[in-house]
Amino acid sequence: MRRYEILIFITGAVTLSLEVLASRIMTPYFGVSLYIWSGILSITLTFLAVGYHYGGRISRRLAGKSLEYAFLVAPIFSAASMGISAAVYPIVFPVLSQANLILGSFIGASLLLSLPLIALSAMNPLLICIQRDKRDKGDGGAGRIFFISTVGSVAGVVVTAFVFIPNVTNYRAILALGIAICIVTAIFAGMSTVLSFLQKRKVYACSLIISILCGALLIGKNSYLKFLSEISTGQLVFDVRAEYTSMFGNIKVADVRRRDGTGKIYRYFLQDGLIQNRTTLDNVSVSMYTYVLESLAHAFAPDARDIVVLGLGAGIVPRHLKGDGLNVSVVEINPKALKAATTHFGFDRSGIQFHLEDARTFVRRCKDSFDVAVIDLFWGDSIPDYLLTKEFFRDLKRCVRSGGSIVMNAIFDSENTEPNNRLLATIATSFPRMFLSGILGGNVFIVGALGVAPKNIVAESPNMPTEVAELVNFTMSRFGLVSPTVYQYSRPVSDEQNIFGILLSDANMAMRKSLTGFLPPHILVN
């Protein structure tokens, strides 16, 4: 029965692959906060423990053919559960996210993981019982089986991270795992010398039926999700033009129109369910923040020659700044973002210094290189917390020349001032003269000025569309110097104790709740 150790290795790989995929599947609905990860990890461990327990109980009741049959039925049951969850979660998750994000994330993780993990983990004690020999001493082979299963889990994480996620959507990946388990199980059933002919036929039949069902969902993904979207009551229709999978999130490009046929068609750049930019079909931005960032860069460094933009997105801001005659550098970690911006949003990297790397490593080795740094680093729910510490802003200050400025696009909590003041206090460790404007619960703009502040801060974008001009002008008119008394009792956040993931979680979850009530299933499913 040592050949079944290969199957245990494979199911161990599937177990951890499911956990990683579940975290990615849940992101557009529940975000990526510490609470969400805590839910996924605790749910995973809970149902692994349940599976070990019931596998042990079953192994004490069965023997011979029945025991081996139960061992081979378990992965098929797991595959069936994965197929059912893939069909159901696009319907259930939006409802859960509107009720309560934290509770909903626990229920959502249970929907994705509970039955598959119980079935897969039950296989370990079943195999220990199958391989038990009365002459064996010690653990009866338990250590070897759990070692093989755990090594398989490591392999599952690596394959998922470096093969599945960059190349296959998470929805299709979980269905592909279900099909693979069915095929492998059927092969092992055929090799068995213990199972009866009838038992083998049942394994073959179940494997075939579940593979067909998973395959139908996999192949018909777009049609199924489109059907779910069309029966929704949303006022907007989203037509997905392209989808890009990557290790840094799922990017979708969609043309959006009103269901009643009135109004213009806009093109959206979405990443993991977040709308990062909107343009017309001829690539004119209708996102307010792009014009504010551009105008602030000119206002606080009117004589600037060199500017760096941290975060590409749809490429609108660097494209505008390049058109203004500046020497533009862009730092972006995701190569798929570059492809989406170039193919669908008119971004042309010629004449732009493009750095494909993490913003943190870039600013660490950058010194006196730029007159302005524009920070637009949204990923997941907000700016990653390791890009919000005082050490990051210290490196950023060294990157900016004397008299230069940083211009930052951020999100503030509209209900609690503590995280907002902690962020201001953190920036002030390197940029004590700060200017602030924006909308609580929406885009907030922070300028850290090392030079002379302008007397008038006005919008300078000549081609601004009328639909955003009023909001841009309103935002620019409200810029004011931040008094140190605002954050004097707030402690800066450092790499040593970075808690922005917790501090900003309420604001991030409120934004997720708003978006999941607005976006249709074929946009949210990644």
Side-chain angles (χ1 to χ4, degrees):
M1 296 300 178
R2 286 293 174 91
R3 64 176 177 273
Y4 283 147
E5 293 177 355
I6 300 174
L7 183 56
I8 281 291
F9 177 90
I10 294 171
T11 56
V14 171
T15 298
L16 262 291
S17 180
L18 280 174
E19 181 184 352
V20 176
L21 289 173
S23 70
R24 306 281 294 206
I25 287 170
M26 293 171 63
T27 294
Y29 303 92
F30 307 106
V32 292
S33 73
L34 181 62
Y35 299 125
I36 308 304
W37 264 109
S38 298
I40 292 172
L41 291 173
S42 60
I43 289 296
T44 298
L45 294 174
T46 297
F47 289 110
L48 286 176
V50 171
Y52 295 143
H53 172 70
Y54 278 101
R57 292 185 62 178
I58 293 170
S59 68
R60 290 194 295 271
R61 296 177 181 177
L62 302 179
K65 295 180 181 179
S66 297
L67 184 61
E68 190 167 333
Y69 180 65
F71 176 78
L72 290 171
V73 166
I76 299 175
F77 178 80
S78 175
S81 303
M82 290 155 60
I84 292 170
S85 66
V88 171
Y89 86 76
I91 303 170
V92 175
F93 277 14
V95 178
L96 293 175
S97 67
Q98 293 303 301
N100 182 286
L101 278 175
I102 296 178
L103 177 62
S105 68
F106 275 77
I107 298 173
S110 298
L111 173 64
L112 289 174
L113 298 173
S114 59
L115 295 180
L117 293 186
I118 289 173
L120 294 175
S121 59
M123 295 175 66
N124 286 22
L126 289 173
L127 183 57
I128 292 170
C129 187
I130 290 171
Q131 293 191 162
R132 184 183 297 128
D133 190 314
K134 292 182 179 180
R135 292 172 297 178
D136 285 345
K137 295 181 180 180
D139 66 356
R144 176 183 174 85
I145 289 171
F146 277 97
F147 168 79
I148 292 170
S149 177
T150 303
V151 172
S153 296
V154 174
V157 171
V158 173
V159 171
T160 303
F162 293 98
V163 179
F164 280 167
I165 288 175
N167 299 295
V168 185
T169 63
N170 303 306
Y171 184 89
R172 287 198 167 108
I174 196 171
L175 291 168
L177 284 177
I179 295 171
I181 290 175
C182 288
I183 293 173
V184 170
T185 303
I187 292 172
F188 277 95
M191 297 168 60
S192 174
T193 58
V194 176
L195 294 184
S196 68
F197 177 72
L198 179 59
Q199 287 174 325
K200 289 185 178 182
R201 284 187 62 182
K202 289 181 179 179
V203 172
Y204 296 152
C206 291
S207 298
L208 180 61
I209 292 170
I210 295 167
S211 295
I212 291 173
L213 292 176
C214 289
L217 284 171
L218 191 153
I219 295 170
K221 171 201 170 189
N222 293 335
S223 299
Y224 174 61
L225 297 178
K226 197 73 172 175
F227 167 75
L228 294 180
S229 299
E230 288 175 354
I231 63 176
S232 65
T233 58
Q235 298 300 310
L236 299 178
V237 177
F238 288 73
D239 180 18
V240 178
R241 311 298 300 177
E243 182 173 10
Y244 301 91
T245 58
S246 77
M247 295 180 68
F248 307 101
N250 177 281
I251 294 173
K252 289 184 180 179
V253 178
D255 289 346
V256 183
R257 57 180 173 82
R258 292 186 60 85
R259 193 175 293 276
D260 60 11
T262 62
K264 297 179 181 179
I265 300 175
Y266 295 107
R267 182 157 291 171
Y268 283 42
F269 183 104
L270 303 108
Q271 183 163 355
D272 284 337
L274 291 181
I275 302 170
Q276 293 204 339
N277 214 317
R278 298 187 306 138
T279 72
T280 62
L281 295 185
D282 54 355
N283 301 318
V284 176
S285 174
V286 289
S287 292
M288 170 268 285
Y289 80 89
T290 57
Y291 299 100
V292 174
L293 291 177
E294 178 189 4
S295 299
L296 290 175
H298 290 306
F300 281 87
D303 300 321
R305 303 184 312 275
D306 303 300
I307 188 166
V308 61
V309 180
L310 305 180
L312 175 66
I316 305 300
V317 174
R319 193 184 76 198
H320 284 181
L321 295 170
K322 174 188 171 184
D324 296 334
L326 295 172
N327 300 320
V328 180
S329 296
V330 174
V331 180
E332 170 60 51
I333 196 172
N334 189 355
K336 298 296 180 66
L338 174 61
K339 186 174 182 180
T342 303
T343 306
H344 300 282
F345 293 93
F347 179 70
D348 181 4
R349 64 179 292 182
S350 62
I352 292 178
Q353 292 289 323
F354 195 88
H355 304 270
L356 192 63
E357 67 175 294
D358 190 285
R360 184 69 187 262
T361 61
F362 177 85
V363 300
R364 188 175 292 140
R365 59 180 174 76
C366 165
K367 185 176 181 181
D368 296 332
S369 302
F370 301 100
D371 302 302
V372 183
V374 176
I375 308 164
D376 189 24
L377 289 168
F378 283 84
W379 179 41
D381 295 318
S382 61
I383 300 173
D385 53 10
Y386 72 97
L387 298 174
L388 294 174
T389 65
K390 64 181 183 181
E391 289 84 359
F392 171 72
F393 290 105
R394 179 194 62 202
D395 292 337
L396 195 57
K397 182 178 181 180
R398 287 200 296 262
C399 191
V400 176
R401 293 170 183 150
S402 176
S405 300
I406 64 166
V407 179
M408 182 176 181
N409 183 16
I411 293 290
F412 270 10
D413 191 326
S414 59
E415 303 295 331
N416 181 13
T417 60
E418 181 186 3
N420 310 335
N421 294 340
R422 293 289 292 272
L423 177 58
L424 292 174
T426 303
I427 298 172
T429 58
S430 294
F431 299 90
R433 293 183 69 243
M434 289 182 294
F435 295 78
L436 175 69
S437 184
I439 304 168
L440 287 178
N443 292 89
V444 172
F445 303 93
I446 305 169
V447 176
L450 297 176
V452 178
K455 294 182 179 180
N456 296 310
I457 305 175
V458 297
E460 296 187 8
S461 301
N463 300 318
M464 192 188 316
T466 55
E467 54 256 57
V468 296
E470 183 176 353
L471 185 55
V472 171
N473 289 322
F474 173 78
T475 302
M476 297 296 290
S477 68
R478 291 176 60 85
F479 257 93
L481 183 67
V482 179
S483 170
T485 59
V486 172
Y487 53 83
Q488 63 180 333
Y489 299 113
S490 300
R491 191 173 66 215
V493 174
S494 67
D495 288 336
E496 185 178 3
Q497 188 183 20
N498 190 344
I499 59 171
F500 271 123
I502 297 174
L503 290 173
L504 296 172
S505 61
D506 289 344
N508 295 339
M509 287 191 288
M511 181 170 57
R512 282 288 174 186
K513 188 171 184 177
S514 173
L515 286 169
T516 53
F518 166 69
L519 295 172
H522 73 295
I523 296 296
L524 290 170
V525 171
N526 59 6

